[in-house]
């Protein structure tokens, strides 16, 4: 009844389902432990000592101690908690299984301690390493690349609570073979992404959307406005791209991981004092608080965006284990809100979505993921044609420009 290609896809569907579910469970467990620890460090302990959550002393102390703790993990745990995320893409080669306990511990400490990085890169690395290691034992005829793709797809589905992002990303990375249709190659990764998304939804529902007034209809002037907003976001993001390798070299002149991350944590504490609690942590909950607040001025919103971007660069340059996508979405939200307040004639839906599009595009150089994040935060289908058009000049601006990653050969 089934074609041989269909039978192959069916055989791969069971491992894909298992990997998707497991990828989501790893994310859920890590985020739950980090949340409990964060509540203890930032709510219970300050209350016990009679300090406010926004106390400059507490912010500086917590970030500095977090840096020292992560430095100790990287220095003394087997495998040094995996590779430096500043030198790696989101989906990289499998790391040693020996490095995973240290990587998970460094991630949890960083998330709970207020470091401005998200969970996506370390969780992706953990899931890929486990999938490749276990898959090689159970199915030695299946290559490491196939397990890597399934684990990456399951993790992306788990992170965003939907398989759409994985479908968009892998539709461009799995192309190039005319003998096998694209949807044949996408079948197993989409199965893993769907399993990861559904598993995540059983425990909590990831919601990136913000309460923004609906966009009425597409106008020619809005395309121009959106292109300008995207260009401003790209310009700000490229400053961070320029700073990251230089800050990385500067920080790593200190040589010892505990010293590097301790100094990095101290600098993050100073930035946290300037920006306040809203500029700490991975940024998703904080961007919602920012959007609901009616008291922020244009200057304050610009300060939030700059401080958060600077904190992300410092955290990445120091070697904290974490990803850059989630915090950069916060930067896009703060920048978009600032531009809307500065020029109220431009709808907030345009300034927010286009600022997020530009910022994510700088960090990931992935057009599909940038469109997805912009639409996830401002879920208005009438914006989609505008964003697709605005993407074109944005891509021209970034063509051939450096990416936000440190070159290992120039460290």
């Amino acid at each position: 009844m089934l074609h041989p290609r269909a039978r192959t896809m069916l055989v791969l569907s069971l491992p894909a389902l298992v990997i998707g579910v497991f990828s989501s469970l790893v994310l859920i467990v890590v985020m739950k432990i980090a949340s409990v620890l964060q509540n203890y460090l930032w709510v219970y302990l300050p209350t016990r000592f009679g300090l406010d959550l926004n106390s400059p002393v507490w912010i500086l102390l917590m970030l500095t101690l977090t840096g020292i703790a992560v430095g100790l993990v990287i220095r003394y745990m087997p495998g040094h908690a995996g590779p430096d995320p500043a030198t790696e893409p989101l989906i990289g080669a499998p790391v040693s299984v020996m490095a995973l306990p240290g990587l998970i511990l460094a991630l949890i400490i960083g998330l709970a301690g207020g470091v401005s990085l998200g969970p996506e890169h370390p969780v992706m690395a953990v899931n890929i390493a486990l999938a490749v290691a276990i898959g090689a034992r159970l199915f030695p005829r299946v290559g490491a690349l196939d397990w890597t793709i399934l684990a990456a797809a399951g993790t992306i589905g788990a992170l965003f609570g939907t398989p759409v992002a994985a479908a968009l990303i892998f539709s461009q990375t799995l192309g190039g073979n005319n003998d096998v249709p694209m949807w044949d190659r996408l079948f197993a990764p989409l199965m893993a992404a769907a399993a990861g998304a559904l598993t995540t939804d059983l425990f909590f529902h990831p919601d990136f959307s913000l309460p923004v007034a609906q966009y009425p209809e597409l106008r020619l002037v809005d395309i121009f406005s959106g292109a300008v907003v995207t260009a401003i976001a790209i310009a700000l993001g490229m400053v961070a791209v320029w700073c990251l390798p230089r800050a990385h070299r500067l920080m790593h002149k200190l040589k010892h991981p505990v010293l590097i991350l301790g100094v990095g944590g101290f600098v993050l504490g100073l930035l946290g004092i300037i920006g306040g609690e809203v500029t700490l942590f991975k940024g998703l909950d904080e961007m919602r608080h920012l959007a609901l607040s009616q008291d922020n001025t244009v200057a304050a919103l610009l300060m939030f965006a700059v401080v958060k971007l600077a904190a992300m660069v410092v955290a990445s340059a120091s070697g904290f284990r974490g990803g850059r996508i989630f915090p950069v979405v916060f930067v896009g939200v703060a920048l978009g809100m600032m531009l809307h307040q500065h020029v109220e004639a431009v709808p907030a839906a345009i300034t927010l979505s286009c600022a997020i599009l530009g910022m994510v595009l700088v960090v990931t150089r992935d057009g599909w993921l940038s469109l997805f994040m912009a639409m996830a935060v401002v879920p208005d289908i009438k914006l989609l044609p505008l964003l697709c058009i605005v993407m074109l000049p944005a891509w021209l601006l970034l063509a051939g420009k450096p990416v936000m990653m440190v070159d290992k050969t120039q460290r």
Side-chain angles (χ1 to χ4, degrees):
M1 293 294 293
L2 292 177
H3 190 275
R5 289 209 318 259
R7 287 199 293 270
T8 301
M9 289 184 280
L10 191 60
V11 168
L12 285 174
S13 62
L14 182 57
L17 285 172
V18 173
I19 289 174
V21 171
F22 187 79
S23 298
S24 177
L25 292 176
V26 169
L27 173 68
I28 291 167
V29 170
V30 167
M31 295 303 294
K32 182 61 178 177
I33 295 173
S35 177
V36 171
L37 182 57
Q38 177 183 327
N39 187 69
Y40 179 79
L41 295 176
W42 292 92
V43 178
Y44 174 77
L45 284 182
T47 304
R48 184 171 183 180
F49 291 111
L51 294 173
D52 183 72
L53 181 62
N54 280 307
S55 167
V57 174
W58 191 255
I59 291 176
L60 189 62
L61 177 65
M62 283 307 308
L63 267 301
T64 304
L65 291 177
T66 296
I68 293 171
V70 174
L72 289 169
V73 170
I74 292 174
R75 173 63 181 85
Y76 294 107
M77 288 291 286
H80 303 295
D84 184 352
T87 66
E88 298 287 329
L90 177 61
I91 303 174
V95 303
S96 168
V97 175
M98 292 292 293
L100 299 188
L103 180 57
I104 294 172
L105 186 57
L107 170 62
I108 290 172
I109 294 171
L111 289 174
V115 176
S116 292
L117 292 174
E120 60 273 20
H121 185 278
V123 170
M124 183 76 73
V126 169
N127 288 336
I128 288 174
L130 290 175
V132 170
I134 298 173
R137 286 180 173 273
L138 298 180
F139 303 96
R141 295 177 61 184
V142 180
L145 179 59
D146 295 311
W147 297 121
T148 298
I149 291 170
L150 292 181
T155 305
I156 293 170
L159 283 166
F160 300 114
T162 172
V164 173
L168 293 173
I169 292 171
F170 286 105
S171 65
Q172 61 187 1
T173 58
L174 296 181
N177 186 348
N178 294 327
D179 296 329
V180 182
M182 182 187 70
W183 281 97
D184 282 21
R185 298 191 294 275
L186 278 177
F187 185 86
L190 277 182
M191 186 75 75
L198 291 173
T199 304
T200 298
D201 286 340
L202 291 176
F203 296 90
F204 62 93
H205 300 281
D207 183 14
F208 300 91
S209 63
L210 297 180
V212 182
Q214 278 200 328
Y215 179 61
E217 59 180 352
L218 182 64
R219 301 177 300 173
L220 186 61
V221 66
D222 292 336
I223 295 176
F224 175 77
S225 301
V228 171
V229 170
T230 307
I232 293 171
I234 288 174
L236 182 61
M238 286 307 295
V239 172
V241 171
W242 183 87
C243 290
L244 177 60
R246 290 159 178 82
H248 193 274
R249 284 196 296 270
L250 180 63
M251 295 296 294
H252 282 73
K253 286 181 179 180
L254 299 174
K255 302 297 183 182
H256 199 284
V258 178
L259 187 56
I260 295 170
L261 284 139
V263 172
F266 180 79
V267 175
L268 290 178
L270 295 177
L271 290 170
I273 292 172
I274 297 170
E277 181 200 357
V278 75
T279 59
L280 302 177
F281 307 104
K282 63 181 180 293
L284 290 186
D285 294 333
E286 290 71 27
M287 79 177 187
R288 189 163 288 106
H289 297 155
L290 194 66
L292 293 174
S293 175
Q294 304 295 324
D295 303 328
N296 295 313
T297 63
V298 170
L301 290 168
L302 179 59
M303 182 267 291
F304 292 150
V306 172
V307 167
K308 187 68 173 181
L309 192 60
M312 185 189 72
V313 170
V314 171
S316 297
S318 303
F320 283 98
R321 278 18 183 185
R324 298 184 286 273
I325 296 176
F326 287 173
V328 88
V329 171
F330 174 94
V331 176
V333 169
L335 182 64
M337 291 178 63
M338 183 276 291
L339 292 172
H340 172 64
Q341 284 199 23
H342 185 61
V343 185
E344 294 186 0
V346 182
I350 291 178
T351 59
L352 283 169
S353 60
C354 291
I356 293 167
L357 176 74
M359 294 302 305
V360 177
L361 196 59
V362 167
V363 172
T364 65
R365 298 302 163 88
D366 190 311
W368 287 124
L369 184 58
S370 303
L371 280 171
F372 172 80
M373 292 308 304
M375 289 296 297
V377 176
V378 189
D380 191 336
I381 193 65
K382 291 191 288 295
L383 283 170
L384 186 56
L386 182 144
L387 292 173
C388 289
I389 296 170
V390 166
M391 174 72 76
L392 302 177
W395 197 260
L396 286 178
L397 287 174
L398 287 171
K401 297 295 191 300
V403 298
M404 185 173 274
M405 196 164 65
V406 176
D407 188 345
K408 293 180 184 180
T409 63
Q410 298 179 6
R411 291 178 58 179

